[in-house]
Amino acid sequence: MGMLTEFKEFINRGNVLDLAVGVIIGGAFGTIVKSLTDDLIMPLVGRVFGNMDFSNLYVVLSGEVAPGTSLAAAREGGANVLAYGNFISTFINFLILAFVIFQIVKAANRLMPKKEAPAAPAGPTEVELLAEIRDALKK
């Protein structure tokens, strides 16, 4: 029963629950950003670059692939491909997530009360130190 009690205390700590909520919300937010990138941003970027579909951008490293073959068909055909289009989409996802998280942290830092640094211990002033030296020299 000791381990069960310790586990219950661990779970009931505020930090663990906050972390769990953060992970769940972060996962949901990541899904939203992925949809934003895949469904809205990349089609617009593809349109700007001449109706290009980034998800099918790849380079054939080995194997035979007919020109215009989709990435899925090239992989099914046994070709070894370097799929850089998916990397571009994933990198844009990362940039969006990093920017949003930066903005959230920046806003949270503004809202958090600033902790004041503890005051430095008051030491003797210059005049007091000189007086001590003078007194020591007189002895």
Side-chain angles (χ1 to χ4, degrees):
M1 285 302 275
M3 186 185 303
L4 186 58
T5 305
E6 284 182 52
F7 182 71
K8 183 179 176 184
E9 289 174 9
F10 173 76
I11 292 297
N12 286 330
R13 287 187 194 156
N15 293 344
V16 174
L17 295 175
D18 291 344
L19 178 63
V21 169
V23 167
I24 291 168
I25 290 174
F29 184 70
T31 304
I32 291 169
V33 170
K34 181 168 177 32
S35 175
L36 172 73
T37 304
D38 293 345
D39 300 333
L40 298 176
I41 293 174
M42 293 311 290
L44 292 174
V45 170
R47 175 78 179 200
V48 168
F49 288 104
N51 291 329
M52 186 182 302
D53 180 12
F54 279 83
S55 63
N56 279 317
L57 293 179
Y58 63 91
V59 174
V60 179
L61 299 175
S62 64
E64 295 294 322
V65 177
T69 304
S70 71
L71 175 61
R75 285 182 171 162
E76 286 176 14
N80 185 11
V81 295
L82 179 71
Y84 64 91
N86 188 38
F87 175 77
I88 293 170
S89 296
T90 303
F91 186 71
I92 291 174
N93 274 348
F94 168 76
L95 289 178
I96 293 169
L97 275 171
F99 178 74
V100 170
I101 289 171
F102 169 74
Q103 293 299 325
I104 290 171
V105 169
K106 189 175 171 183
N109 285 339
R110 270 190 258 126
L111 294 176
M112 296 284 182
K114 294 189 179 192
K115 295 179 183 176
E116 300 208 11
T125 64
E126 281 184 47
V127 174
E128 292 171 338
L129 287 173
L130 290 173
E132 285 180 28
I133 294 171
R134 181 197 64 206
D135 294 342
L137 288 173
K138 282 184 182 178
K139 294 181 183 176

